Amino acid sequence: MRSIFLFGSLLCSSVSAYTWKSVKIGGGGGFVPGIVFNPTEKGLAYARTDIGGLYRLNADDSWTALQDYVNDTLWNEWGVDAVATDPVDPRRVYAAVGMYTNSWDPRNGSILRSEDYGATWARTTLPFKVGGNMPGRGMGERLAIDPQNNKVIYFGARSGNGLWKSVDQGVTFQRVASFAATGTYQVDATDTSGYSNDINGLSAIEFDPTSALINGATSRIYVGTADRTSSMWVSEDAGESWTAIAGQPSGVFPHKMKFSTVEKVLYITYNSESGPYSAGTGSVYRLSSNGIFSDITPAWVVTNNVTIGYGGLALDAQNSGTLMVSAMNLWGPDVQIFRSNDSGATWTTIWDYVGGVQKNYYTYDTEKAPWINNQRQKGDTKILGWMVEALEINPFDSNHWLYGTGATIYGGHNLESWPAVHVTSLADGVEETAVQDLIAPPGINIPLISAVLDVAGFVHKDLDVSPNDGFEDPFWASTTALDFAGLVPTNILRIGDSKLAISSDAGVTWTLNTAVPAASGGSIAFAADASSLVWTSSAGSLLVSNGSSTTIASLPTSIAVVSDKVDPNFFYAGDETGVYVSSDGGKTFTRSANITSYGVGLLAVHPAKAGDVWYSTNTGIYHSIDFGKTFTASPGVQSGTHIAVGKGAGNGTNVFAFATVDNVVALRRSADEGATWEVISDAEHGFGSANPNPLAASWETEGMVFVGTNGRGIFYGLP
């Protein structure tokens, strides 16, 4: 396996410099399965996400994204399955990257390595896949550096690929032949997709730095495997041989492991399932250096007749015997966090039942991301979160703690006041949302409105300030599409959860449309005067007007549709056979252009010019200025995905698209109606996979474009 340094990969003749920033949703917005602190450099920590890459902690509690180089070719590297920070040379950090181990991901995984805290990376490609968004992604860490010899690195693989070792600081890796265990656990052996039936593999690796050196390497190494029969292994000879530890629990397997150097014991959380959605039955154990297991599971679960698995595990490096564990999930009333000051002999909790009523001992805010708290629905008591698999105490500051959830990073700075701690969102800078659609209606003093999976979507009044709230009344977790009426742009549509809602005041208030049947998918288009809408849904292509809906027999379902932003009579739609046009307000559609492609194309219209429409397909990008009667192919463009039209110089336009030219996929801009295209993505901003990334462009600020990503939130760019 050879190492490949990551330089710019856009080999194009025309490149335009753009400045890129994140649209601030704030608070993360997605799952954070792993956080690690460096034990020797104060304040150094990393957080890994399942679909949005790796982040580094800053001194002001904010985070810096470290993988924005990821482009359409390297999209799977935003899945981070493990991270390790070097205890000997803190500048060094390693990450195991790859999104899926099944056919959804065409590339093998890699071990990334950096010598400058993640500012730049080198890559070693592995001969198998890595699953940063696979079941069991919160176990770990699967990547571990020998604390007494940082040339030695171990990685625990999935899919039956076993244990791997590097002796040259991650430049090369070889399989450890003496370690035969590969794990046997599958979430669902009957699944045929390769997702739930994949073997979860090795779960965690820990060194005992108090053990003797053998040939310059730490002699005692622990490895956990996802195997309910025999899951805990140890080497006493620096990895030359391995033994299953006698007396280990059965029916469960290690989830997290941490070694206490002062106590010379290994702490382990065990579960019968790998998570992150279900952990099954769990327990907590302490393993002495002479191989004796002690069950230290909190008695709270028995007292309250609760069955939980355990996710996070943290040790206080300043106070030996002080540790914390978390329930991975306790869907009601809230996740539980436990703390012990006596090596697990007794535990206290962050909340408890008093007289049969839940009593919270902590205080709470989400000041840095107010939407998190404001979006919580009535009756939802899950304040502390869910999917808690990352839990850490700063090794230099016993008051500073962090934990990752399915939506954010929480923590605080008064942990020694436990349980009367203050919990706050500490994910400023983490932007991990999966964005489904973007619109930029002109003339409403709102630069952007977003549709987002899991956290609904937002009206972004200020691109650099976290929104106060997401879409509400009606609320649904995932919004899949948006549109606005071109002549009255305060009129907005959104769909999701088989529902349609309409706003006439730019998203301040919403009305649920009850005229449509329960439907999902497809796209939606608002007539320019807000008199009607077309929804190409799973329930058929629907025309909604005057409080009722009818099926449009002449329009196929689940295809792309847009409205002319000037003439309310015109709608445009496209599929793999070509373009359809309606000139009667969406009542009927007629095939206007035969443009063959291998799937549904995407359309964009001019915000201020009637009859000006663009069609982007995997066979090219096409432009019409006569209401879709005829289309002209953009020269040199081999394929395109999302496309948007915005303000250009003077009275001109800018057209933005993810497009392939000369076999290179990039975000491009055309200022001459598609005659030529210049690249505006760059080596530091690749935006991940191009295919799912929605675009919007401003009609008020020249050159401004918005890019939604599948896991790294929203970017905005200016020339």
Side-chain angles (χ1 to χ4, degrees):
M1 292 170 287
R2 63 190 179 92
S3 174
I4 304 171
F5 283 84
L6 303 178
F7 296 108
S9 59
L10 303 177
L11 306 175
C12 307
S13 57
S14 178
V15 178
S16 177
Y18 254 60
T19 299
W20 296 100
K21 291 183 65 178
S22 285
V23 173
K24 189 168 187 176
I25 294 175
F31 183 32
V32 179
I35 300 171
V36 297
F37 274 92
N38 187 281
T40 54
E41 181 168 319
K42 186 176 181 179
L44 178 60
Y46 297 90
R48 61 179 176 91
T49 70
D50 55 354
I51 63 169
L54 186 68
Y55 290 80
R56 185 184 64 239
L57 182 64
N58 301 314
D60 63 354
D61 279 336
S62 68
W63 298 84
T64 296
L66 300 178
Q67 290 184 270
D68 284 350
Y69 69 84
V70 169
N71 58 23
D72 187 69
T73 301
L74 302 173
W75 65 267
N76 70 338
E77 293 192 359
W78 271 349
V80 185
D81 208 16
V83 62
T85 175
D86 194 325
V88 179
D89 181 355
R91 298 171 302 172
R92 293 181 176 270
V93 58
Y94 301 83
V97 296
M99 195 70 72
Y100 300 105
T101 57
N102 63 358
S103 61
W104 303 345
D105 187 343
R107 299 178 65 243
N108 282 343
S110 298
I111 304 295
L112 301 182
R113 64 188 188 279
S114 174
E115 299 178 20
D116 53 13
Y117 301 100
T120 61
W121 296 96
R123 180 191 302 108
T124 296
T125 303
L126 298 167
F128 50 81
K129 295 180 179 181
V130 170
N133 198 31
M134 293 291 288
R137 53 194 180 272
M139 298 192 294
E141 289 295 310
R142 292 179 167 94
L143 195 59
I145 303 166
D146 189 331
Q148 300 184 94
N149 181 350
N150 67 341
K151 292 183 178 180
V152 176
I153 304 170
Y154 283 89
F155 174 60
R158 296 171 174 269
S159 312
N161 289 302
L163 182 65
W164 291 70
K165 179 181 180 181
S166 173
V167 295
D168 53 13
Q169 295 181 313
V171 176
T172 61
F173 279 83
Q174 291 79 36
R175 185 164 183 169
V176 179
S178 61
F179 190 87
T182 60
T184 60
Y185 175 76
Q186 302 163 283
V187 173
D188 180 2
T190 67
D191 177 38
T192 59
S193 70
Y195 184 77
S196 294
N197 62 324
D198 186 47
I199 293 172
N200 283 198
L202 277 59
S203 61
I205 304 168
E206 273 289 307
F207 290 89
D208 175 359
T210 69
S211 64
L213 292 175
I214 294 179
N215 296 323
T218 297
S219 59
R220 184 175 296 125
I221 311 166
Y222 298 100
V223 175
T225 61
D227 188 324
R228 289 174 176 164
T229 302
S230 185
S231 63
M232 196 66 207
W233 303 80
V234 65
S235 174
E236 300 285 357
D237 53 12
E240 290 299 314
S241 62
W242 301 85
T243 304
I245 304 176
Q248 63 181 278
S250 62
V252 292
F253 48 84
H255 199 85
K256 297 281 190 179
M257 304 194 307
K258 296 284 179 66
F259 192 85
S260 171
T261 55
V262 174
E263 298 177 280
K264 297 185 178 181
V265 298
L266 182 72
Y267 289 96
I268 313 164
T269 57
Y270 279 94
N271 294 316
S272 62
E273 300 176 22
S274 64
Y277 309 112
S278 175
T281 301
S283 53
V284 185
Y285 276 78
R286 185 176 64 240
L287 174 63
S288 66
S289 57
N290 61 353
I292 304 300
F293 283 90
S294 300
D295 188 344
I296 57 170
T297 306
W300 184 89
V301 295
V302 176
T303 301
N304 292 283
N305 193 28
V306 174
T307 299
I308 62 172
Y310 293 89
L313 166 65
L315 306 185
D316 187 342
Q318 300 293 315
N319 298 287
S320 62
T322 295
L323 68 151
M324 298 172 68
V325 296
S326 66
M328 185 188 302
N329 290 306
L330 187 55
W331 297 107
D334 206 350
V335 79
Q336 185 62 282
I337 303 175
F338 307 84
R339 180 176 169 95
S340 173
N341 295 321
D342 53 14
S343 304
T346 61
W347 299 86
T348 53
T349 55
I350 198 169
W351 63 267
D352 208 345
Y353 293 108
V354 178
V357 178
Q358 182 184 5
K359 178 180 176 59
N360 295 334
Y361 300 124
Y362 63 92
T363 56
Y364 167 85
D365 74 68
T366 61
E367 180 180 337
K368 294 185 178 182
W371 64 268
I372 295 176
N373 194 34
N374 292 336
Q375 196 181 79
R376 185 175 298 107
Q377 299 301 292
K378 184 178 180 180
D380 184 358
T381 59
K382 296 187 296 297
I383 296 173
L384 295 172
W386 55 92
M387 293 161 59
V388 179
E389 302 202 62
L391 174 63
E392 294 292 329
I393 302 171
N394 188 330
F396 293 90
D397 181 358
S398 296
N399 272 310
H400 181 205
W401 65 304
L402 296 169
Y403 71 93
T405 76
T408 189
I409 297 172
Y410 283 129
H413 289 277
N414 69 334
L415 182 57
E416 292 193 301
S417 297
W418 182 271
V421 294
H422 185 71
V423 178
T424 187
S425 175
L426 292 177
D428 186 29
V430 178
E431 299 289 343
E432 199 203 344
T433 50
V435 183
Q436 302 300 290
D437 204 2
L438 300 171
I439 57 173
I444 64 171
N445 297 316
I446 293 171
L448 183 69
I449 301 175
S450 63
V452 184
L453 287 183
D454 297 329
V455 293
F458 303 91
V459 175
H460 301 272
K461 298 177 181 179
D462 187 326
L463 300 177
D464 301 315
V465 176
S466 179
N468 188 60
D469 202 354
F471 297 145
E472 292 279 5
D473 300 325
F475 169 82
W476 50 75
S478 295
T479 302
T480 57
L482 302 162
D483 197 24
F484 67 94
L487 297 177
V488 279
T490 55
N491 288 264
I492 312 293
L493 300 174
R494 62 179 168 103
I495 56 174
D497 192 30
S498 301
K499 299 181 181 70
L500 163 68
I502 301 175
S503 174
S504 60
D505 53 14
V508 177
T509 61
W510 297 88
T511 300
L512 183 68
N513 189 298
T514 58
V516 296
S520 61
S523 62
I524 198 160
F526 217 167
D529 60 358
S531 61
S532 63
L533 63 92
V534 174
W535 182 6
T536 59
S537 75
S538 62
S541 291
L542 305 173
L543 173 65
V544 183
S545 64
N546 299 319
S548 64
S549 67
T550 56
T551 300
I552 308 170
S554 54
L555 184 62
T557 61
S558 301
I559 69 171
V561 62
V562 296
S563 59
D564 195 291
K565 294 305 176 192
V566 178
D567 190 330
N569 291 312
F570 278 85
F571 290 82
Y572 312 94
D575 64 11
E576 65 275 6
T577 64
V579 176
Y580 301 78
V581 177
S582 173
S583 59
D584 57 6
K587 295 181 180 67
T588 61
F589 281 77
T590 303
R591 172 73 62 76
S592 69
N594 295 319
I595 300 173
T596 303
S597 60
Y598 305 105
V600 174
L602 296 163
L603 299 116
V605 294
H606 196 292
K609 187 183 296 184
D612 193 317
V613 58
W614 293 79
Y615 189 41
S616 178
T617 78
N618 54 25
T619 58
I621 293 177
Y622 304 86
H623 184 208
S624 173
I625 57 174
D626 58 5
F627 294 90
K629 294 177 183 178
T630 61
F631 281 82
T632 301
S634 184
V637 178
Q638 297 163 282
S639 66
T641 56
H642 288 269
I643 188 167
V645 181
K647 180 177 176 57
N651 294 321
T653 58
N654 281 312
V655 182
F656 302 91
F658 279 101
T660 303
V661 176
D662 294 330
N663 299 315
V664 175
V665 180
L667 179 59
R668 301 173 188 271
R669 178 183 70 171
S670 176
D672 54 12
E673 304 295 325
T676 60
W677 297 84
E678 58 185 356
V679 175
I680 60 172
S681 50
D682 56 46
E684 287 75 42
H685 303 90
F687 309 116
S689 175
N691 191 59
N693 290 353
L695 297 176
S698 173
W699 191 241
E700 298 174 315
T701 301
E702 180 185 334
M704 175 176 275
V705 62
F706 302 95
V707 184
T709 69
N710 187 33
R712 184 53 186 90
I714 309 167
F715 291 86
Y716 70 97
L718 285 165

